[in-house]
Amino acid sequence: MNIKRSFTAWRQARRTFNELSRLSARELNDLGINRGDIASIARQSYQIER
């Protein structure tokens, strides 16, 4: 993966992480997400898009 692509993937993961982190516990629960899973989900969000 080249540098630009790596940076873009990192930025997407960071955006996903920030957006999920802003949700309340109730909103996360509605989505079936535990707060402890946010980092893992964010990493997966950019790995799928490769």
Side-chain angles (χ1 to χ4, degrees):
M1 194 184 292
N2 65 31
I3 292 173
K4 182 180 178 186
R5 198 171 196 185
S6 294
F7 179 72
T8 301
W10 172 82
R11 208 171 60 203
Q12 174 63 35
R14 195 74 198 150
R15 186 179 306 127
T16 301
F17 180 87
N18 289 336
E19 288 178 12
L20 289 174
S21 294
R22 282 191 281 264
L23 297 177
S24 69
R26 182 177 210 141
E27 291 168 321
L28 288 171
N29 189 41
D30 287 345
L31 295 171
I33 298 172
N34 294 318
R35 193 159 299 278
D37 296 334
I38 291 175
S40 175
I41 291 168
R43 281 191 302 271
Q44 289 173 5
S45 75
Y46 74 85
Q47 289 175 350
I48 293 170
E49 295 178 9
R50 284 200 226 172

